[in-house]
């Protein structure tokens, strides 16, 4: 696809090392500011946008994925930038708090700081009281004195003066009306922590202007990122208690957006809210005078808004065609409705405009009435300026092809596809392993499926479908809870005969089928007898179930694709109930996979799943994409990527690590076809465990999980769990996993930092592991090892180079434990020993790689290695530089198998440039057999 970008703004940046901020020279070629919609290109993925005022006029403030703040004029000239902490800004607010006529820029940062910058981009002050992420920030006045108000996941909010000095702390426990949500202890999770009673984290803070000139502080409290809307509290500035405390019930979903508006022109502002969830979002107007919510479900505006997709309903009050109106951005669709918020008028005056991409944020500049859009959620790098007063704005939005990173990604993938047409498959030592695609076929062009099927032996499309839910006698279920539990999305209305008839249709294809057998809400969609008979209907064809049915599946060519959540594959699976899986008894049946939605520790699940595969517990492992893979923070669900480049790279990395079962939610299958062709052509090598040479010689043996770790790793929805005393008393090997840490830095002693190269709790789908992938495995030595397990020893499954170099450290997730079980070592200190071992042992690997890249090395022949390199920016793709070091080998030739580029070694290293959103496959020919 050829992209032509006209009048693109090129930014030339000049770094001033002494000032802490960066000033840029004017753009040489600016955007067409006369257009109804134009784009300002930046070097960043823009997560948030605001407008700010200075004496000479308003300008745009952007916050990048990495937390860099920068300012740009409407003509594309960059004014300044400041990298701040390097961690994300959860909120940005601009307001003149000093009275000099220039707005200060305030940020609530994931590292626990509030930062205040001048209109020149220089840091004026910062405030921090603990490590819990700050989540919201605003400014308010009392008696003509300005205060900064900030709060977040430590369940308090703070008043600061204009120099950053703490004036007052308001603990939510002193006023909250939230009810405690019990989290009952179970056999599997005996120390489950419940939401503390009458306490909440801070979702939003905003000041409401009053007719008498005063301000009121609106606080949105929340205790769960996926269930309920929380409550709204209204305070007089600096007051200890709210004068209104009102539960928000009408929307029945988390609040992802808030705007303060004056709908009825009485000079008292109301609160405009936007929900965030899977579908059927709403907007609502909260009126403090009447304590009422007026709700408009978006699907009543248009069926387009009712479709599946994780988005935030964002709103702005605008003047449109002479009327006060509400502008709504909902992913890639927008509309303008009357400000009356009456459903009858909404239905008769609505026109929905749907574009090609969804955007990370939206803001209206009150000085210009222009709408500012942050970058495309697909990894874009532009700021888009929309003027709805100009004709043609709707068509321009509909047809917008963002310049910068989006254009680069499309061009780079197009180049790969062209290179693949000329690629000649390499002769391998063994026939490449088949890769099963489990849910692509129904929403993929039949012509494309036929082409892939006829052209290649692999990948293999499995028919996917829904067999329905059975009306059956559940009294035989041993677990009393599940006897009565049902998945509310299902009807439970089919007989066994009806289900078997559906199964016959599903298995009518040539290869086999994939279907759900159950869900976390109810693992028992159908009876055991019906499931076994369904497998018999397959008559030997491949069956993949998302359901535990091990013994029958083992006999009837079935695989159980376990799409678990959170830390399951490095915690719960090591409890006694899963011992038969760990032992390798059902190695040919179980397929460890993940539903990594809401999670913030993907680098751990990769190490856990690959560790089970490499150790022989299972013979296959899998990966999954859902639209909400990117939802590390459910309160801000920007999870509507229309260009699934992040998924393409995730799958390439997973397959290069040996994943052969891919459960893909279909999005833009034209883009995903590149993955299929890479497999089919043999450019993407699918290895066995004994061919991989990028495992660290250090493995982590996982013991039955510590109860606190188990709870922290699976309690990801509750947002109000932060407790400084608990944190101080519980330094963990795997830490900051619960719902109060989105985007937060990991601790110094956390495995994710020193092993995986991950700095924050966000999206580690493409981790660096600069010293090799550190496998999390069943214990191999000492009193915890199972010498009789069917899987055998780890080293027997690995490449021969690992035979005498492996070193194991044991952990229960909290502490490290000696092999004889007699000594325990604090994570806070012993990590130094483990980290040193990982670094020292990495020199025994043939190759190591540094840089923001995910990488895998596999041996493809006695004298050839394949190095797979993938851009590691999951939803913030970028041109990446990989520093490749050759430790124990002397390559004779290094060649990119697609481009034909060859590399020369200098001082035992090469540098490899990866294109934005791209990947490279290097064939390394050795001087002698490895």
């Amino acid at each position: 696809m050829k992209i032509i970008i006209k009048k693109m703004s090129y930014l030339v940046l000049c770094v001033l090392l002494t000032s802490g901020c960066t000033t840029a020279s004017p753009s040489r070629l600016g955007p067409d500011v006369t257009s109804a919609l134009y784009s300002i290109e930046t070097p960043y993925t823009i997560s948030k946008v605001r407008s700010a005022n200075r004496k000479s006029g308003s300008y745009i403030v952007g916050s990048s994925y990495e937390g860099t703040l920068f300012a740009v004029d409407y003509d594309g000239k960059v004014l300044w930038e400041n990298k701040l902490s390097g961690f994300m800004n959860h909120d940005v607010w601009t307001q003149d708090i000093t009275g000099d006529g220039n707005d200060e820029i305030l940020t609530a940062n994931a590292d626990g700081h509030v930062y205040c910058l001048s209109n020149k981009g220089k840091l004026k002050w910062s405030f921090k009281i603990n490590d819990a992420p700050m989540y919201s920030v605003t400014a308010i006045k009392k008696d003509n004195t300005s205060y900064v108000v900030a709060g977040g996941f430590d369940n308090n909010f703070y008043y600061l003066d204009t120099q950053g000095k703490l004036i007052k702390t308001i603990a939510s426990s002193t006023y909250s009306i939230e009810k405690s949500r019990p989290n009952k202890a179970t056999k599997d999770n005996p120390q489950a922590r419940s939401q503390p009673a009458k306490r909440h984290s801070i979702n939003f803070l905003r000041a409401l202007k009053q007719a008498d000139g005063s301000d009121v502080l609106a606080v949105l409290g929340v205790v769960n990122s996926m269930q309920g809307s929380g409550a709204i509290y209204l305070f007089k500035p600096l007051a200890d208690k709210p004068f209104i405390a009102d539960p928000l019930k009408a929307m029945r979903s988390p609040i992802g957006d808030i705007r303060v508006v004056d709908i009825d022109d009485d000079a008292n502002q109301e609160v405009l809210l936007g929900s965030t969830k899977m579908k059927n979002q709403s907007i609502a107007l909260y009126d403090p005078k009447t304590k009422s919510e007026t709700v408009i479900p978006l699907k009543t505006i248009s069926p387009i808004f009712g479709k599946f997709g994780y988005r935030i309903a964002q709103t702005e009050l605008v003047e449109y065609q002479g009327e006060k109106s509400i502008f709504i951005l909902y992913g890639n669709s927008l509309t303008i409705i009357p400000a009356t918020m009456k459903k009858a008028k909404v239905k008769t005056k609505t026109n929905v405009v749907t574009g090609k991409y969804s955007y990370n944020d939206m803001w209206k500049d009150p000085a210009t009435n222009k709408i500012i859009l942050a970058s495309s959620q697909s990894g874009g790098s532009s700021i888009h300026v929309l003027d709805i007063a100009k004709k043609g704005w709707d068509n321009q939005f509909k047809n917008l092809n963002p310049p910068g990173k989006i254009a680069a990604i499309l061009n780079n993938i197009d180049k790969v596809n062209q290179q693949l047409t000329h690629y000649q498959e390499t002769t391998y030592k063994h026939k490449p392993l088949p890769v099963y695609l489990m849910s692509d076929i129904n929403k993929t062009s039949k012509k494309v499926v036929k082409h892939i099927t006829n052209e290649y032996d692999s990948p293999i499309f499995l028919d996917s479908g829904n067999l329905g839910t059975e009306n059956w006698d559940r009294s035989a279920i041993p677990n009393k809870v599940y006897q009565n539990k049902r998945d509310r999305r299902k009807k439970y209305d089919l007989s066994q005969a009806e289900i078997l008839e559906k199964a016959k249709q599903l298995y009518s294809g040539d290869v086999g089928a994939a279907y759900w057998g159950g869900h976390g809400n109810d693992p028992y969609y159908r009876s055991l007898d019906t499931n076994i008979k369904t497998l018999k209907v397959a008559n030997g064809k491949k069956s993949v179930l998302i359901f535990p049915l091990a013994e029958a599946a083992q006999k009837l060519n079935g695989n159980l694709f376990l799409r678990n959540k959170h830390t399951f594959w490095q915690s719960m699976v090591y409890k006694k109930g899963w011992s038969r899986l760990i032992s390798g008894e059902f190695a040919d049946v179980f397929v460890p996979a993940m539903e990594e939605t809401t999670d913030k520790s993907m680098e751990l699940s990769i190490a856990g799943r690959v560790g089970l595969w490499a150790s022989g517990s299972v013979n296959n492992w899998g990966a999954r994409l859902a639209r909400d893979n990117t939802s590390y923070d459910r309160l801000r669900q920007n999870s509507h990527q229309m260009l699934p480049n992040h998924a393409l790279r995730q799958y390439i990395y997973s397959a290069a690590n040996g994943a052969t079962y891919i459960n893909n939610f279909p999005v833009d299958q034209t883009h995903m076809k590149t993955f299929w062709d890479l497999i089919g052509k043999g450019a993407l090598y699918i290895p066995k465990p004994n061919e991989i040479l990028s495992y660290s010689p250090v493995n982590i043996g996982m013991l039955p999980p510590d109860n606190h770790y188990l709870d922290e790793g699976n309690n990801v929805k509750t947002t109000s769990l932060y407790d400084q005393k608990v944190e101080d008393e519980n330094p963990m090997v795997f830490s900051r996993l619960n719902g109060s840490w989105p985007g937060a830095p990991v601790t110094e002693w956390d495995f994710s930092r020193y092993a995986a190269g991950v700095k924050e709790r966000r999206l580690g789908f493409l981790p660096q592991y600069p010293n090799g992938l550190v496998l999390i495995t069943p214990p191999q030595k000492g009193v915890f090892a199972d010498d009789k397990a069917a899987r055998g020893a780890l080293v027997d499954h690995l490449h021969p180079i690992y035979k005498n170099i492996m070193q194991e450290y044991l952990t229960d997730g909290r502490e490290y434990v000696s092999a004889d079980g007699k000594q325990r070592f604090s994570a806070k200190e012993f990590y130094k020993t483990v980290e040193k071992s990982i670094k020292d042992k990495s020199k025994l690997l043939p190759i190591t790689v540094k840089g923001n890249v995910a990488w895998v090395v596999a041996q493809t022949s006695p004298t050839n290695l394949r190095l797979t390199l993938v851009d590691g920016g999951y939803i913030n793709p970028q041109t990446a530089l990989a520093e490749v070091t050759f430790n124990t080998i002397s390559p004779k030739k290094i060649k990119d198998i697609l481009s034909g580029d060859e590399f020369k070694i200098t001082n035992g290293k090469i540098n490899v440039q990866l294109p934005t959103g791209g990947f490279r496959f290097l064939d390394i020919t050795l001087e002698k057999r490895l």
Side-chain angles (χ1 to χ4, degrees):
M1 179 179 181
K2 189 175 182 181
I3 304 292
I4 300 174
I5 306 171
K6 294 182 179 180
K7 298 185 178 180
M8 180 174 165
S9 175
Y10 296 90
L11 306 182
V12 183
L13 302 179
C14 172
V15 179
L16 302 180
L17 298 177
T18 59
S19 68
C21 65
T22 305
T23 301
S25 63
S27 302
R28 292 175 292 172
L29 183 63
D32 180 6
V33 298
T34 65
S35 177
L37 175 61
Y38 64 88
S39 301
I40 300 172
E41 176 53 11
T42 81
Y44 304 109
T45 299
I46 311 302
S47 299
K48 291 175 180 63
V49 284
R50 299 290 186 267
S51 61
N53 293 312
R54 54 182 174 170
K55 291 176 181 178
S56 58
S58 68
Y59 59 96
I60 300 169
V61 175
S63 178
S64 79
Y65 181 86
E66 300 85 0
T68 296
L69 277 180
F70 68 97
V72 60
D73 265 345
Y74 279 96
D75 64 2
K77 175 186 173 183
V78 174
L79 305 173
W80 53 260
E81 69 169 15
N82 193 316
K83 294 188 181 298
L84 289 181
S85 66
F87 295 96
M88 72 172 294
N89 296 307
H90 278 299
D91 194 18
V92 179
W93 191 254
T94 61
Q95 191 165 320
D96 180 9
I97 60 173
T98 60
D100 66 353
N102 298 306
D103 283 354
E104 278 71 35
I105 295 90
L106 302 163
T107 72
N109 195 274
D111 73 349
H113 276 97
V114 176
Y115 294 103
C116 177
L117 277 66
S118 73
N119 73 308
K120 300 292 186 182
K122 293 183 179 180
L123 181 65
K124 297 183 73 171
W125 53 261
S126 65
F127 167 82
K128 180 176 179 176
I129 203 133
N130 52 51
D131 288 338
M134 281 290 184
Y135 203 57
S136 189
V137 63
T138 194
I140 196 168
K141 283 188 175 183
K142 180 182 182 182
D143 300 330
N144 213 31
T145 299
S146 292
Y147 298 92
V148 174
V149 193
F153 289 97
D154 71 350
N155 311 302
N156 304 322
F157 66 90
Y158 304 92
Y159 285 95
L160 315 175
D161 70 10
T162 57
Q163 302 303 311
K165 179 183 175 182
L166 178 63
I167 302 299
K168 190 168 189 175
T169 300
I170 305 292
S172 66
S173 59
T174 64
Y175 66 84
S176 179
I177 61 171
E178 297 289 352
K179 294 180 180 179
S180 176
R181 291 174 183 266
N183 191 357
K184 294 180 181 179
T186 65
K187 210 174 184 181
D188 286 332
N189 190 2
Q191 287 187 5
R193 270 208 290 167
S194 296
Q195 170 216 319
K198 293 189 176 181
R199 189 173 87 177
H200 61 251
S201 58
I202 308 301
N203 190 359
F204 284 104
L205 296 163
R206 292 295 184 258
L208 303 181
K209 301 295 180 186
Q210 303 299 295
D212 62 5
S214 66
D215 285 352
V216 165
L217 180 67
V219 179
L220 260 67
V222 65
V223 296
N224 190 292
S225 62
M226 293 184 68
Q227 297 164 356
S229 303
I232 188 167
Y233 306 87
L234 300 184
F235 288 79
K236 300 292 185 182
L238 295 174
D240 292 325
K241 302 287 185 180
F243 64 89
I244 289 179
D246 203 5
L248 295 171
K249 295 182 177 180
M251 296 177 77
R252 298 181 181 178
S253 61
I255 305 300
D257 187 67
I258 179 174
R259 312 286 160 136
V260 291
V261 298
D262 183 8
I263 290 280
D264 54 11
D265 294 321
D266 66 351
N268 292 302
Q269 290 186 319
E270 295 85 32
V271 182
L272 197 53
L273 306 167
S275 69
T276 174
K277 57 180 179 178
M278 183 174 71
K279 60 180 181 178
N280 297 331
Q281 280 90 336
S282 303
I283 63 170
L285 184 72
Y286 180 81
D287 188 344
K289 296 187 296 293
T290 60
K291 296 178 62 176
S292 63
E293 297 172 68
T294 303
V295 179
I296 295 183
L298 294 188
K299 66 180 180 180
T300 64
I301 297 175
S302 169
I304 292 173
F305 288 131
K307 292 183 178 180
F308 178 90
Y310 296 86
R311 289 157 283 186
I312 305 171
Q314 290 192 285
T315 60
E316 282 286 5
L317 192 63
V318 299
E319 287 288 331
Y320 184 63
Q321 296 180 352
E323 293 185 13
K324 183 180 283 191
S325 304
I326 297 174
F327 181 96
I328 303 171
L329 177 70
Y330 181 62
N332 64 326
S333 297
L334 57 84
T335 191
I336 301 174
I337 65 172
T340 57
M341 293 285 287
K342 291 182 179 177
K343 296 178 184 179
K345 287 192 175 182
V346 166
K347 290 181 180 179
T348 58
K349 301 188 70 173
T350 302
N351 177 36
V352 176
V353 182
T354 298
K356 299 178 181 179
Y357 296 91
S358 296
Y359 299 90
N360 285 321
D361 195 18
M362 180 266 286
W363 189 261
K364 185 194 78 171
D365 181 351
T368 65
N369 289 315
K370 292 178 179 177
I371 300 292
I372 308 166
L373 301 177
S375 297
S376 159
Q377 291 178 20
S378 299
S381 53
S382 297
I383 292 172
H384 309 283
V385 181
L386 179 64
D387 190 343
I388 58 175
K390 293 182 177 179
K391 290 184 179 181
W393 67 266
D394 47 355
N395 283 327
Q396 287 189 45
F397 178 82
K398 190 183 299 182
N399 297 309
L400 176 61
N401 290 308
K405 288 184 182 181
I406 294 295
I409 290 168
L410 292 170
N411 282 330
N412 293 335
I413 299 303
D414 195 34
K415 188 174 181 180
V416 168
N417 291 333
Q418 292 173 19
Q419 292 169 342
L420 274 171
T421 61
H422 306 292
Y423 174 72
Q424 296 297 315
E425 184 176 354
T426 305
T427 301
Y428 293 124
K429 180 173 134 182
H430 76 79
K431 186 178 179 180
L433 300 174
V435 176
Y436 293 97
L437 305 176
M438 295 169 52
S439 49
D440 293 87
I441 194 168
N442 293 334
K443 294 188 178 180
T444 303
S445 161
K446 291 182 179 180
K447 184 178 178 181
V448 172
V449 173
K450 186 176 181 181
H451 168 77
I452 297 292
T453 302
N454 292 340
E455 190 77 14
Y456 312 127
D457 293 331
S458 177
I460 298 167
F461 287 94
L462 293 177
D463 285 317
S464 60
N466 178 12
L467 295 184
T469 44
E470 185 179 6
N471 181 8
W472 64 287
D473 180 4
R474 297 168 67 99
S475 61
I477 297 174
N479 187 305
K480 295 290 185 182
V481 173
Y482 284 116
Q483 282 185 13
N484 299 313
K485 198 169 185 182
R486 304 290 188 276
D487 188 330
R488 287 180 292 178
R489 299 167 300 178
K490 305 299 180 181
K491 296 182 178 179
Y492 296 88
D493 57 345
L494 298 180
S495 66
Q496 183 181 91
E498 290 171 318
I499 288 171
L500 295 179
E501 187 58 38
K502 289 169 74 76
K504 289 177 184 177
Q505 296 299 318
L506 187 60
Y507 282 108
S508 61
D510 296 328
V511 179
Y515 55 90
W516 283 40
H519 188 272
N521 295 321
D522 175 21
Y524 300 97
Y525 280 178
R526 294 171 288 278
S527 68
L528 177 62
D529 183 57
T530 299
N531 277 306
I532 292 173
K533 287 178 178 176
T534 301
L535 288 171
K536 290 180 178 178
V537 167
N539 196 26
K541 295 177 182 177
K542 170 65 70 178
S543 298
V544 182
L545 292 78
I546 306 170
F547 185 80
L549 190 66
E551 292 179 354
Q554 193 172 41
K555 298 174 184 177
L556 297 167
N557 193 24
N559 290 99
L560 303 181
F561 188 86
L562 300 183
R563 202 170 66 193
N564 301 80
K565 286 191 174 188
H566 315 321
T567 58
F568 180 88
W569 293 112
Q570 63 276 2
S571 65
M572 194 75 76
V573 76
Y574 286 96
K575 291 184 73 68
K576 187 176 180 181
W578 291 93
S579 60
R580 295 176 75 184
L581 185 159
I582 294 295
S583 73
E585 179 184 353
F586 298 105
D588 54 342
V589 174
F590 288 114
V591 180
M594 282 292 288
E595 183 172 338
E596 292 179 289
T597 55
T598 316
D599 298 334
K600 302 174 284 292
S601 54
M602 297 79 181
E603 69 280 354
L604 301 183
S605 77
I606 290 169
R609 284 176 287 158
V610 176
L612 290 173
W613 176 65
S615 62
S617 292
V618 296
N619 294 339
N620 299 280
W621 73 281
R624 187 222 184 195
L625 167 75
R627 291 303 292 263
D628 52 335
N629 265 32
T630 58
S631 284
Y632 62 91
D633 176 9
R634 289 285 187 175
L635 291 171
R636 308 286 184 268
Q637 284 193 123
N638 291 313
S639 306
H640 201 242
Q641 285 72 15
M642 303 303 290
L643 178 68
N645 180 257
H646 65 302
L648 175 65
R649 286 178 285 124
Q650 174 192 344
Y651 284 153
I652 289 171
Y653 173 65
S654 298
N657 257 310
T660 51
Y661 285 77
I662 307 298
N663 184 201
N664 177 34
F665 191 100
V667 181
D668 191 353
Q669 298 300 74
T670 301
H671 194 74
M672 294 305 295
K673 183 178 178 293
T674 301
F675 175 58
W676 310 333
D677 283 329
L678 286 169
I679 296 170
K681 289 274 190 179
L684 175 53
Y685 187 74
I686 316 297
K688 294 179 179 179
N690 63 3
E691 295 171 323
I692 293 180
L693 292 160
S694 48
Y695 297 147
S696 168
V698 174
N699 73 288
I700 301 298
M702 194 67 211
L703 304 179
D706 169 80
N707 289 330
H708 182 71
Y709 160 56
L710 191 69
D711 180 61
E712 291 288 292
N714 293 282
N715 208 340
V716 299
K717 297 177 184 178
T718 304
T719 64
S720 56
L721 287 174
Y722 177 82
D723 185 313
Q724 188 61 55
K725 186 172 184 291
V726 171
E727 295 301 316
D728 292 342
E729 293 175 353
N730 294 279
M732 309 293 288
V733 173
F734 310 117
S735 65
R736 295 187 175 176
L737 296 167
N738 70 48
S740 60
W741 296 103
V746 296
T747 62
E748 185 74 11
W749 53 88
D750 193 288
F751 173 91
S752 293
R753 184 200 64 79
Y754 59 80
V758 169
K759 72 172 190 175
E760 62 193 359
R761 283 286 169 238
R762 198 144 39 149
L763 294 169
F765 283 98
L766 297 167
Q768 296 176 18
Y769 279 104
N771 298 299
L773 177 57
V774 181
L775 300 175
I776 299 175
T777 70
Q780 299 298 306
K781 295 180 180 179
V783 297
F784 301 105
D786 182 359
D787 296 329
K788 298 180 181 180
R791 65 174 185 272
L794 170 66
V795 292
D796 294 338
H797 298 280
L798 302 183
H799 191 281
I801 71 160
Y802 292 98
K803 198 72 176 177
N804 297 307
I805 66 171
M806 292 299 295
Q807 182 172 0
E808 181 176 62
Y809 292 96
L810 301 176
T811 185
D812 60 3
R814 172 193 289 272
E815 299 171 304
Y816 286 100
V817 182
S818 63
D820 61 9
K822 295 181 180 179
Q823 291 179 283
R824 304 185 72 86
F825 310 97
S826 169
K828 202 169 183 176
E829 292 299 325
F830 197 71
Y831 85 88
K832 298 170 188 175
T833 300
V834 182
E835 181 178 26
K836 186 177 186 302
S837 292
I838 291 170
K839 288 180 177 178
D840 291 346
K841 289 274 192 177
S842 71
K843 297 178 177 62
L844 302 176
L845 296 178
I847 295 171
T848 49
V849 179
K850 292 182 180 178
N852 188 25
V853 295
W855 60 284
V856 185
V857 178
Q859 185 167 13
T860 57
S861 82
T863 55
N864 289 88
L865 306 183
R866 174 66 54 79
L867 172 59
T868 299
L869 300 167
V870 182
D871 172 8
Y874 189 60
I875 59 172
N876 62 320
Q878 54 201 287
T879 301
L881 184 68
E883 182 185 288
V884 182
T885 300
F886 300 97
N887 300 306
T888 63
I889 58 173
S890 299
K892 181 167 65 176
K893 182 179 180 182
I894 304 170
K895 181 180 180 181
D896 185 312
I897 66 172
L898 293 181
S899 70
D901 295 342
E902 295 194 18
F903 299 85
K904 299 297 182 184
I905 299 176
T906 303
N907 298 324
K909 297 181 180 180
I910 62 172
N911 289 327
V912 183
Q913 196 83 22
L914 271 68
T916 302
F919 39 85
R920 299 187 78 164
F921 309 108
L922 304 188
D923 180 69
I924 300 170
T925 304
L926 306 179
E927 291 280 2
K928 57 183 181 180
R929 296 167 67 98
L930 185 65

